[in-house]
Amino acid sequence: MIFKSINHSRTSDAVVEQMERLILEGVLRSGDRLPPERELAMQLEVSRPVLRDALKDLEDRKLLKSRHRGGTYVAEVVGMVFADQIFDLVRRHPKAQSDYFEFRRDMEGIIAEHAAIKATDADRLILGRIMEAMRQHHRDQDLQGESAADLEFHQAIVDASHNIMLLHTMRSCYKLLSEGLFFSRIRFFEWPGVRDLLMDQHEQLYHAIMERQPKEARKAAEDHIAYVEQTLAHTQQAGSWEEISRMRLQRLSDQGGFSPPEARDKMPDAKTGSLAEEPPPDLAAHSPSQGAGSAAPNQTSLEPAREAPSGAFNGVRR
């Protein structure tokens, strides 16, 4: 039970103060439903008229919202540092992606350092439960579950830093991530070797926080975000190469550059330039979102079409 009885002053102002703190600290999150009026009044040990006055005050200030016969909910205020107009601008301008990762790299390092120092026993228990769930999703190769646990893990570290400004700022950043503003996290996980490396990095970060090693936690967090940024850039570049190659192949095919037709899917011999007898793997099979020979302009693909060169990830701690 997160609501505490009000002993010192059973007034609507005291109820408002407790609700405000729960929202500000991120204990109550956007969309959370409050208990029914009778039950909430009993938990707070105030009269129902006092509770109604407090809830009306919070609704008037747009911290809570009521639905007809549907209860009272926390409004979309937690982690709303950026206005919707800013979200739209970020979505439309590519430079925001590099700035986003630069900001996250710096902030995640500070947050991990704070969490290693400030995490309570309850914080550590929450992190442990999330980490075990992430491990299970990883073993089961459940990309959706692992991706969700990944995000929850980072949010729990922010909570453990016990800094209100960091909490709301980073939840806004995570909202960009959860909505796929910069890239598809699921398709990113499908890139060869990425899931295992991310899991190793999460383990390293987790143990540094649990063992109360601030410097190690900070470095682990910074290295983790740097790896994500570097790997994403590589996968996007590789996807762009694949897209351009398919368009060139389609152009030659449209111009009758391959004859006979059955030779269109054959690759030229590297030495002679003549068409090889064995066809290459189906290009469409590597693109989960597009058919063969079609590519939307200005859209990159994160399909696991090729292994990233080992040199692309140098400098990242495992």
Side-chain angles (χ1 to χ4, degrees), residues 204-215:
Q204 185 175 354
L205 176 56
Y206 169 73
H207 287 294
I209 292 173
M210 297 297 282
E211 294 167 11
R212 300 196 181 280
Q213 299 176 333
K215 291 182 180 179

Side-chain angles (χ1 to χ4, degrees), residues 73-315:
Y73 297 79
V74 178
E76 295 291 329
V77 294
V78 179
M80 295 299 292
V81 173
F82 305 126
D84 290 339
Q85 295 90 333
I86 296 298
F87 274 111
D88 185 59
L89 287 175
V90 168
R91 182 181 291 108
R92 293 164 59 87
H93 292 271
K95 181 183 182 297
Q97 178 171 305
S98 63
D99 289 350
Y100 169 82
F101 280 111
E102 181 179 58
F103 178 80
R104 269 198 70 190
R105 184 172 60 250
D106 292 343
M107 290 299 99
E108 296 272 6
I110 293 171
I111 289 164
E113 186 174 32
H114 279 263
I117 296 170
K118 299 179 182 179
T120 65
D121 289 342
D123 292 325
R124 290 150 67 86
L125 182 60
I126 292 170
L127 284 169
R129 289 177 177 176
I130 295 173
M131 197 67 204
E132 185 51 46
M134 193 189 306
R135 291 172 184 140
Q136 186 60 53
H137 291 311
H138 186 78
R139 288 191 292 267
D140 295 342
Q141 298 188 28
D142 177 2
L143 300 187
Q144 291 282 357
E146 188 173 358
S147 176
D150 180 340
L151 187 57
E152 193 68 20
F153 176 67
H154 285 282
Q155 288 179 337
I157 294 174
V158 177
D159 292 345
S161 73
H162 293 280
N163 184 297
I164 291 171
M165 299 306 295
L166 289 174
L167 185 151
H168 288 275
T169 302
M170 293 311 295
R171 284 195 177 171
S172 285
C173 287
Y174 296 148
K175 183 179 179 182
L176 296 174
L177 194 63
S178 64
E179 293 182 356
L181 198 63
F182 296 123
F183 63 99
S184 167
R185 298 175 70 238
I186 299 301
R187 294 177 70 185
F188 180 66
F189 271 42
E190 291 174 346
W191 190 263
V194 163
R195 287 180 59 246
D196 290 337
L197 283 169
L198 289 178
M199 194 69 217
D200 288 345
Q201 292 164 11
H202 287 140
E203 291 280 7
Q204 185 175 354
L205 176 56
Y206 169 73
H207 287 294
I209 292 173
M210 297 297 282
E211 294 167 11
R212 300 196 181 280
Q213 299 176 333
K215 291 182 180 179
E216 289 79 358
R218 180 169 187 159
K219 190 170 191 317
E222 291 172 346
D223 287 351
H224 170 59
I225 300 302
Y227 167 79
V228 172
E229 180 182 19
Q230 189 176 11
T231 306
L232 178 63
H234 177 82
T235 57
Q236 288 178 330
Q237 184 181 53
S240 177
W241 291 338
E242 191 69 43
E243 179 183 356
I244 295 299
S245 297
R246 282 199 300 264
M247 288 191 291
R248 287 172 179 159
L249 181 62
Q250 184 63 48
R251 178 176 177 274
L252 288 172
S253 178
D254 292 344
Q255 293 179 347
F258 292 116
S259 182
E262 61 270 16
R264 291 179 182 176
D265 292 330
K266 296 182 180 181
M267 297 295 289
D269 182 87
K271 295 182 178 179
T272 65
S274 60
L275 294 176
E277 291 297 323
E278 293 295 329
D282 183 8
L283 290 173
H286 294 294
S287 178
S289 61
Q290 300 177 21
S294 65
N298 299 324
Q299 182 176 359
T300 58
S301 172
L302 301 186
E303 67 272 11
R306 64 190 70 181
E307 287 281 358
S310 58
F313 310 135
N314 288 339

